[in-house]
Amino acid sequence: MARPVEFDRTLARDRALLLFWRRGYQAASLSDLLAAMEISRSSFYAAFGDKRALFLECLDLFAARTLNFLNGTLETNPPLDGLKRFFEMGLGRMGDGESHWGCLLVNTSLEMAGVDDALSQRASAHLAQVQAAFEASLLKTGCSPQKAADLSAVLMLLLEGLRVSSRRALPPETQRNQIHTAFRIVDAAL
């Protein structure tokens, strides 16, 4: 008979997600994960399989949370305002101690490229979903499909650049100015 789980799996996974986000996949050792998750090695393997499987679960969860956050701003605001709000609220959310961590999806795409292309491609596929949401929102402004595709690519470059530059600890006001400038350009292009 299998032993019952003696820890909160969701809490342990969320702790692992934070460690992966802060350190990256490769720098988060199994010992670090066990300490952060506050579980034993046997519980880890029984609940999560291995480090890679746990990381994939965390990566997918981070992507789902990002898309839910984005869709929430798009549902409650006009299209362009919703996009701008997503970018601005991302800065505010990162003020909760995560300001220098960047984005787990962007970080993974960069860290794992050429090391574990499957992980890098998984993160990139999630980023493509974000870009598709940008494009769908831009289409609602009445712009042409080609213009929506082009502008969503520009917004994705902005998002990725902001997330990378946050790891350089740029002041939030600098990033806010970059967002406002980019959206003035996008608005003028519409």
Side-chain angles (χ1 to χ4, degrees), residues 16 19-20 23 25-45 48-52 54:
L19 183 67
F20 284 133
R23 290 196 185 163
Y25 177 73
Q26 295 178 96
S29 70
L30 182 58
S31 297
D32 294 334
L33 285 164
L34 296 176
M37 297 168 75
E38 299 178 8
I39 62 174
S40 68
R41 185 178 297 267
S42 60
S43 293
F44 175 86
Y45 286 116
F48 300 103
D50 60 20
K51 177 182 167 181
R52 192 172 197 282
L54 172 61

Side-chain angles (χ1 to χ4, degrees), residues 172-188:
E173 191 56 37
T174 299
Q175 291 185 324
R176 195 167 285 105
N177 289 338
Q178 293 167 340
I179 292 168
H180 291 184
T181 299
F183 274 90
R184 279 194 303 272
I185 294 168
V186 168
D187 192 33

Side-chain angles (χ1 to χ4, degrees), residues 1-22:
M1 177 178 230
R3 284 181 64 191
V5 175
E6 298 177 9
F7 65 94
D8 182 334
R9 187 185 189 285
T10 300
L11 179 61
R13 186 223 36 230
D14 285 349
R15 289 174 175 163
L17 186 151
L18 292 174
L19 183 67
F20 284 133
W21 188 4
R22 189 173 69 246

Side-chain angles (χ1 to χ4, degrees), residues 157-178:
L157 285 173
L158 173 65
L159 180 67
E160 291 172 342
L162 287 169
R163 298 307 182 246
V164 170
S165 66
S166 71
R167 294 190 65 95
R168 292 185 14 227
L170 289 181
E173 191 56 37
T174 299
Q175 291 185 324
R176 195 167 285 105
N177 289 338
Q178 293 167 340

